[in-house]
Amino acid sequence: MQLSEHFTLEEFIASDTARARGISNHPSPEMLERLKRTAAQMEKIRTILGNKPIQVTSGYRGPELNAAVGGVSNSHHAQAHAVDFHCPAFGSPYDVCKAIEAKQKEVKYDQLIHEQRSWVHVSFAPNPRGQALTLTAAGEYVTGIQK
Ligand SMILES: [Zn+2]
């Protein structure tokens, strides 16, 4: 099922942990509507990244999956507001974060996080704060998009 032109429900709910543990991870109708709004925001990011293919590594985590991966219950992934992704055809996660940060007026993200140099986390909660952070290899959040 398509959530938007370039993003499917399947890639937003896919999870190795869910598969391994037999967790369905299917969203409620309310969460599905949120996922569609999140996918619409991801379309804007895709445009900013030159329409290069985006690889979603983690999108929605339903309550059972979120608990299984040790996620906090108010995680933006559990709220269907967050996406972890790569866009190797555009550049490194750092390059991707810098490009999105530069277009903050077009993509009103709540949090944009450069995660341990390996992927990009972006969330679109209501009343977006426009925070740009880096999660260091030591597991600390620091302000700004840092290498
Ligand atoms: Zn994330």
Side-chain angles (χ1 to χ4, degrees):
M1 173 190 173
Q2 293 293 132
L3 292 174
S4 66
E5 187 179 355
H6 297 101
F7 296 98
T8 66
L9 175 63
E10 288 69 24
E11 67 188 318
F12 270 54
I13 65 176
S15 158
D16 290 342
T17 303
R19 206 171 297 120
R21 301 196 190 182
I23 298 168
S24 92
N25 201 39
H26 271 273
S28 65
E30 181 193 356
M31 289 297 173
L32 180 60
E33 288 310 305
R34 283 194 197 174
L35 287 171
K36 287 178 183 173
R37 289 199 290 274
T38 298
Q41 296 293 321
M42 289 301 294
E43 293 287 350
K44 293 183 191 172
I45 286 180
R46 194 176 187 279
T47 301
I48 288 168
L49 300 177
N51 294 308
K52 300 281 195 287
I54 283 177
Q55 297 169 4
V56 173
T57 55
S58 181
Y60 176 62
R61 293 179 202 143
E64 205 182 338
L65 175 59
N66 197 52
V69 300
V72 291
S73 61
N74 64 350
S75 159
H76 284 163
H77 288 283
Q79 300 297 319
H81 288 312
V83 180
D84 294 339
F85 69 97
H86 304 269
C87 187
F90 180 86
S92 67
Y94 173 82
D95 296 333
V96 169
C97 284
K98 290 305 257 187
I100 297 168
E101 187 182 31
K103 300 277 184 174
Q104 198 203 325
K105 289 200 172 106
E106 292 172 34
V107 185
K108 293 192 169 31
Y109 55 80
D110 182 54
Q111 288 186 317
L112 173 68
I113 308 177
H114 180 215
E115 300 230 21
Q116 297 176 316
R117 305 182 181 193
S118 55
W119 74 86
V120 180
H121 166 106
V122 68
S123 68
F124 305 100
N127 306 314
R129 293 168 286 179
Q131 284 185 345
L133 302 168
T134 297
L135 180 59
T136 68
E140 291 171 5
Y141 287 98
V142 294
T143 302
I145 301 302
Q146 319 242 356
K147 278 209 173 179

PDB file of all heavy atoms in Angstrom, residues 91-108:
ATOM      1  N   GLY A  91      24.364  11.237  -0.426  1.00  0.00           N
ATOM      2  CA  GLY A  91      25.607  11.412   0.337  1.00  0.00           C
ATOM      3  C   GLY A  91      25.524  10.708   1.679  1.00  0.00           C
ATOM      4  O   GLY A  91      24.638   9.883   1.915  1.00  0.00           O
ATOM      5  N   SER A  92      26.453  11.055   2.549  1.00  0.00           N
ATOM      6  CA  SER A  92      26.518  10.448   3.884  1.00  0.00           C
ATOM      7  C   SER A  92      25.357  10.965   4.734  1.00  0.00           C
ATOM      8  O   SER A  92      24.742  11.985   4.393  1.00  0.00           O
ATOM      9  CB  SER A  92      27.829  10.845   4.547  1.00  0.00           C
ATOM     10  OG  SER A  92      27.813  12.245   4.809  1.00  0.00           O
ATOM     11  N   PRO A  93      25.072  10.297   5.848  1.00  0.00           N
ATOM     12  CA  PRO A  93      24.044  10.831   6.755  1.00  0.00           C
ATOM     13  C   PRO A  93      24.339  12.281   7.172  1.00  0.00           C
ATOM     14  O   PRO A  93      23.412  13.086   7.300  1.00  0.00           O
ATOM     15  CB  PRO A  93      24.097   9.868   7.943  1.00  0.00           C
ATOM     16  CG  PRO A  93      24.511   8.569   7.324  1.00  0.00           C
ATOM     17  CD  PRO A  93      25.523   8.959   6.261  1.00  0.00           C
ATOM     18  N   TYR A  94      25.604  12.607   7.337  1.00  0.00           N
ATOM     19  CA  TYR A  94      25.973  13.991   7.670  1.00  0.00           C
ATOM     20  C   TYR A  94      25.547  14.941   6.540  1.00  0.00           C
ATOM     21  O   TYR A  94      24.928  15.976   6.789  1.00  0.00           O
ATOM     22  CB  TYR A  94      27.485  14.080   7.912  1.00  0.00           C
ATOM     23  CG  TYR A  94      27.977  15.498   8.097  1.00  0.00           C
ATOM     24  CD1 TYR A  94      27.870  16.124   9.342  1.00  0.00           C
ATOM     25  CD2 TYR A  94      28.538  16.214   7.037  1.00  0.00           C
ATOM     26  CE1 TYR A  94      28.319  17.436   9.524  1.00  0.00           C
ATOM     27  CE2 TYR A  94      28.974  17.523   7.206  1.00  0.00           C
ATOM     28  CZ  TYR A  94      28.870  18.121   8.449  1.00  0.00           C
ATOM     29  OH  TYR A  94      29.295  19.411   8.623  1.00  0.00           O
ATOM     30  N   ASP A  95      25.879  14.591   5.310  1.00  0.00           N
ATOM     31  CA  ASP A  95      25.510  15.426   4.157  1.00  0.00           C
ATOM     32  C   ASP A  95      23.989  15.596   4.066  1.00  0.00           C
ATOM     33  O   ASP A  95      23.489  16.683   3.768  1.00  0.00           O
ATOM     34  CB  ASP A  95      25.998  14.799   2.840  1.00  0.00           C
ATOM     35  CG  ASP A  95      27.515  14.716   2.755  1.00  0.00           C
ATOM     36  OD1 ASP A  95      28.196  15.534   3.398  1.00  0.00           O
ATOM     37  OD2 ASP A  95      28.002  13.820   2.036  1.00  0.00           O
ATOM     38  N   VAL A  96      23.279  14.491   4.307  1.00  0.00           N
ATOM     39  CA  VAL A  96      21.815  14.518   4.238  1.00  0.00           C
ATOM     40  C   VAL A  96      21.255  15.458   5.308  1.00  0.00           C
ATOM     41  O   VAL A  96      20.398  16.306   5.039  1.00  0.00           O
ATOM     42  CB  VAL A  96      21.238  13.087   4.389  1.00  0.00           C
ATOM     43  CG1 VAL A  96      19.725  13.119   4.581  1.00  0.00           C
ATOM     44  CG2 VAL A  96      21.609  12.229   3.173  1.00  0.00           C
ATOM     45  N   CYS A  97      21.788  15.337   6.531  1.00  0.00           N
ATOM     46  CA  CYS A  97      21.317  16.201   7.628  1.00  0.00           C
ATOM     47  C   CYS A  97      21.576  17.671   7.313  1.00  0.00           C
ATOM     48  O   CYS A  97      20.708  18.527   7.539  1.00  0.00           O
ATOM     49  CB  CYS A  97      22.012  15.836   8.937  1.00  0.00           C
ATOM     50  SG  CYS A  97      21.394  14.336   9.705  1.00  0.00           S
ATOM     51  N   LYS A  98      22.754  17.984   6.796  1.00  0.00           N
ATOM     52  CA  LYS A  98      23.084  19.383   6.493  1.00  0.00           C
ATOM     53  C   LYS A  98      22.141  19.939   5.416  1.00  0.00           C
ATOM     54  O   LYS A  98      21.704  21.091   5.491  1.00  0.00           O
ATOM     55  CB  LYS A  98      24.544  19.513   6.027  1.00  0.00           C
ATOM     56  CG  LYS A  98      25.558  19.284   7.126  1.00  0.00           C
ATOM     57  CD  LYS A  98      25.346  20.187   8.315  1.00  0.00           C
ATOM     58  CE  LYS A  98      26.297  21.347   8.397  1.00  0.00           C
ATOM     59  NZ  LYS A  98      26.125  22.100   9.680  1.00  0.00           N
ATOM     60  N   ALA A  99      21.825  19.112   4.420  1.00  0.00           N
ATOM     61  CA  ALA A  99      20.930  19.560   3.345  1.00  0.00           C
ATOM     62  C   ALA A  99      19.525  19.830   3.877  1.00  0.00           C
ATOM     63  O   ALA A  99      18.881  20.812   3.499  1.00  0.00           O
ATOM     64  CB  ALA A  99      20.888  18.506   2.238  1.00  0.00           C
ATOM     65  N   ILE A 100      19.048  18.975   4.778  1.00  0.00           N
ATOM     66  CA  ILE A 100      17.699  19.154   5.337  1.00  0.00           C
ATOM     67  C   ILE A 100      17.680  20.368   6.269  1.00  0.00           C
ATOM     68  O   ILE A 100      16.757  21.186   6.231  1.00  0.00           O
ATOM     69  CB  ILE A 100      17.243  17.881   6.078  1.00  0.00           C
ATOM     70  CG1 ILE A 100      17.137  16.707   5.103  1.00  0.00           C
ATOM     71  CG2 ILE A 100      15.906  18.122   6.787  1.00  0.00           C
ATOM     72  CD1 ILE A 100      16.974  15.361   5.782  1.00  0.00           C
ATOM     73  N   GLU A 101      18.717  20.489   7.075  1.00  0.00           N
ATOM     74  CA  GLU A 101      18.788  21.605   8.023  1.00  0.00           C
ATOM     75  C   GLU A 101      18.738  22.946   7.277  1.00  0.00           C
ATOM     76  O   GLU A 101      18.106  23.903   7.733  1.00  0.00           O
ATOM     77  CB  GLU A 101      20.083  21.497   8.839  1.00  0.00           C
ATOM     78  CG  GLU A 101      20.180  22.516   9.958  1.00  0.00           C
ATOM     79  CD  GLU A 101      21.501  22.417  10.708  1.00  0.00           C
ATOM     80  OE1 GLU A 101      22.520  22.037  10.091  1.00  0.00           O
ATOM     81  OE2 GLU A 101      21.509  22.727  11.901  1.00  0.00           O
ATOM     82  N   ALA A 102      19.378  22.981   6.118  1.00  0.00           N
ATOM     83  CA  ALA A 102      19.413  24.219   5.336  1.00  0.00           C
ATOM     84  C   ALA A 102      18.031  24.590   4.783  1.00  0.00           C
ATOM     85  O   ALA A 102      17.813  25.726   4.383  1.00  0.00           O
ATOM     86  CB  ALA A 102      20.414  24.074   4.192  1.00  0.00           C
ATOM     87  N   LYS A 103      17.108  23.614   4.749  1.00  0.00           N
ATOM     88  CA  LYS A 103      15.764  23.854   4.193  1.00  0.00           C
ATOM     89  C   LYS A 103      14.703  23.735   5.286  1.00  0.00           C
ATOM     90  O   LYS A 103      13.570  23.324   5.020  1.00  0.00           O
ATOM     91  CB  LYS A 103      15.470  22.825   3.095  1.00  0.00           C
ATOM     92  CG  LYS A 103      16.446  22.861   1.945  1.00  0.00           C
ATOM     93  CD  LYS A 103      16.091  23.938   0.950  1.00  0.00           C
ATOM     94  CE  LYS A 103      17.033  23.866  -0.241  1.00  0.00           C
ATOM     95  NZ  LYS A 103      16.631  24.794  -1.292  1.00  0.00           N
ATOM     96  N   GLN A 104      15.064  24.102   6.481  1.00  0.00           N
ATOM     97  CA  GLN A 104      14.150  23.921   7.619  1.00  0.00           C
ATOM     98  C   GLN A 104      12.836  24.656   7.424  1.00  0.00           C
ATOM     99  O   GLN A 104      11.799  24.243   7.942  1.00  0.00           O
ATOM    100  CB  GLN A 104      14.843  24.395   8.887  1.00  0.00           C
ATOM    101  CG  GLN A 104      14.184  23.874  10.148  1.00  0.00           C
ATOM    102  CD  GLN A 104      14.481  24.736  11.344  1.00  0.00           C
ATOM    103  OE1 GLN A 104      15.571  25.286  11.450  1.00  0.00           O
ATOM    104  NE2 GLN A 104      13.527  24.866  12.222  1.00  0.00           N
ATOM    105  N   LYS A 105      12.849  25.742   6.665  1.00  0.00           N
ATOM    106  CA  LYS A 105      11.597  26.487   6.440  1.00  0.00           C
ATOM    107  C   LYS A 105      10.645  25.704   5.550  1.00  0.00           C
ATOM    108  O   LYS A 105       9.441  25.883   5.615  1.00  0.00           O
ATOM    109  CB  LYS A 105      11.905  27.848   5.808  1.00  0.00           C
ATOM    110  CG  LYS A 105      12.579  28.790   6.785  1.00  0.00           C
ATOM    111  CD  LYS A 105      12.438  30.241   6.350  1.00  0.00           C
ATOM    112  CE  LYS A 105      12.931  31.185   7.423  1.00  0.00           C
ATOM    113  NZ  LYS A 105      14.226  31.786   7.089  1.00  0.00           N
ATOM    114  N   GLU A 106      11.188  24.815   4.699  1.00  0.00           N
ATOM    115  CA  GLU A 106      10.341  24.019   3.811  1.00  0.00           C
ATOM    116  C   GLU A 106       9.868  22.730   4.478  1.00  0.00           C
ATOM    117  O   GLU A 106       8.761  22.280   4.236  1.00  0.00           O
ATOM    118  CB  GLU A 106      11.108  23.655   2.530  1.00  0.00           C
ATOM    119  CG  GLU A 106      11.392  24.861   1.664  1.00  0.00           C
ATOM    120  CD  GLU A 106      12.311  24.522   0.498  1.00  0.00           C
ATOM    121  OE1 GLU A 106      12.226  23.400  -0.041  1.00  0.00           O
ATOM    122  OE2 GLU A 106      13.127  25.389   0.145  1.00  0.00           O
ATOM    123  N   VAL A 107      10.746  22.131   5.280  1.00  0.00           N
ATOM    124  CA  VAL A 107      10.419  20.884   5.974  1.00  0.00           C
ATOM    125  C   VAL A 107      10.412  21.191   7.458  1.00  0.00           C
ATOM    126  O   VAL A 107      11.455  21.309   8.083  1.00  0.00           O
ATOM    127  CB  VAL A 107      11.470  19.789   5.707  1.00  0.00           C
ATOM    128  CG1 VAL A 107      11.037  18.490   6.343  1.00  0.00           C
ATOM    129  CG2 VAL A 107      11.685  19.595   4.234  1.00  0.00           C
ATOM    130  N   LYS A 108       9.229  21.322   8.001  1.00  0.00           N
ATOM    131  CA  LYS A 108       9.139  21.743   9.398  1.00  0.00           C
ATOM    132  C   LYS A 108       9.279  20.530  10.312  1.00  0.00           C
ATOM    133  O   LYS A 108       8.310  20.028  10.850  1.00  0.00           O
ATOM    134  CB  LYS A 108       7.842  22.491   9.630  1.00  0.00           C
ATOM    135  CG  LYS A 108       7.825  23.821   8.870  1.00  0.00           C
ATOM    136  CD  LYS A 108       6.701  24.712   9.301  1.00  0.00           C
ATOM    137  CE  LYS A 108       6.811  26.127   8.779  1.00  0.00           C
ATOM    138  NZ  LYS A 108       7.451  26.312   7.495  1.00  0.00           N
TER     139      LYS A 108
END
